[in-house]
């Protein structure tokens, strides 16, 4: 089980880096990604939080479908890395802004995600 979790962590980290690069090249103001894993050793769910630069960007990019593109790009990168297909449906996404983290959570993503 530990080897499977380590592989999951590695694949998620690689997908994060790839998505950050892709977003930068596409002009999408994605500034941070957090991946949260359950504590249960047998639960391979994953919660992915995408942080854009501002509240206005979150609103605009949700409306124009860019947030959905970010989600699909992340899933695509995980899949290409050999991430188990039966784990993909258990991935959830959240979206927020760095602006909100600074304004309401003392600049801490940890505080925001608690």
């Amino acid at each position: 089980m530990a080897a499977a979790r380590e592989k999951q962590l590695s694949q998620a980290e690689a997908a994060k880096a790839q998505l950050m690069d892709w977003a930068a090249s596409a002009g999408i103001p994605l500034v941070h990604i957090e991946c949260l894993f359950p504590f249960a050793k047998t639960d391979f769910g994953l919660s992915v939080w995408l942080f854009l630069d501002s509240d206005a960007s979150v609103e605009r990019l949700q409306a124009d479908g860019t947030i959905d593109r970010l989600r699909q790009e992340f899933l695509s990168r995980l899949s290409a890395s050999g991430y188990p297909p039966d784990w993909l449906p258990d991935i959830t996404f959240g979206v927020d802004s760095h602006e909100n983290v600074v304004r309401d959570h003392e600049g801490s993503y940890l505080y925001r995600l608690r």
Side-chain angles (χ1 to χ4, degrees):
M1 207 60 65
R5 178 67 79 195
E6 284 182 36
K7 186 174 181 181
Q8 182 189 31
L9 292 169
S10 173
Q11 290 168 316
E13 285 301 314
K16 280 174 47 174
Q18 292 168 9
L19 186 63
M20 290 296 295
D21 290 344
W22 178 83
S25 69
I28 299 169
L30 180 65
V31 297
H32 189 74
I33 302 171
E34 283 288 334
C35 290
L36 306 174
F37 302 88
F39 289 111
K41 292 179 183 180
T42 57
D43 182 350
F44 290 96
L46 171 61
S47 180
V48 179
W49 279 85
L50 307 172
F51 291 91
L52 301 170
D53 64 342
S54 68
D55 294 342
S57 291
V58 170
E59 190 173 312
R60 183 181 83 254
L61 299 178
Q62 281 180 330
D64 74 6
T66 300
I67 299 295
D68 290 331
R69 279 183 53 211
L70 286 168
R71 290 180 182 121
Q72 287 307 311
E73 288 293 330
F74 187 85
L75 293 172
S76 217
R77 280 153 175 71
L78 277 180
S79 184
S81 75
Y83 199 83
D86 54 322
W87 294 359
L88 290 172
D90 295 331
I91 297 174
T92 62
F93 288 88
V95 178
D96 203 345
S97 71
H98 178 73
E99 180 179 43
N100 177 48
V101 170
V102 170
R103 180 185 60 236
D104 297 336
H105 303 283
E106 300 177 27
S108 171
Y109 292 101
L110 176 64
Y111 290 172
R112 166 59 185 89
L113 296 171
R114 284 199 287 173

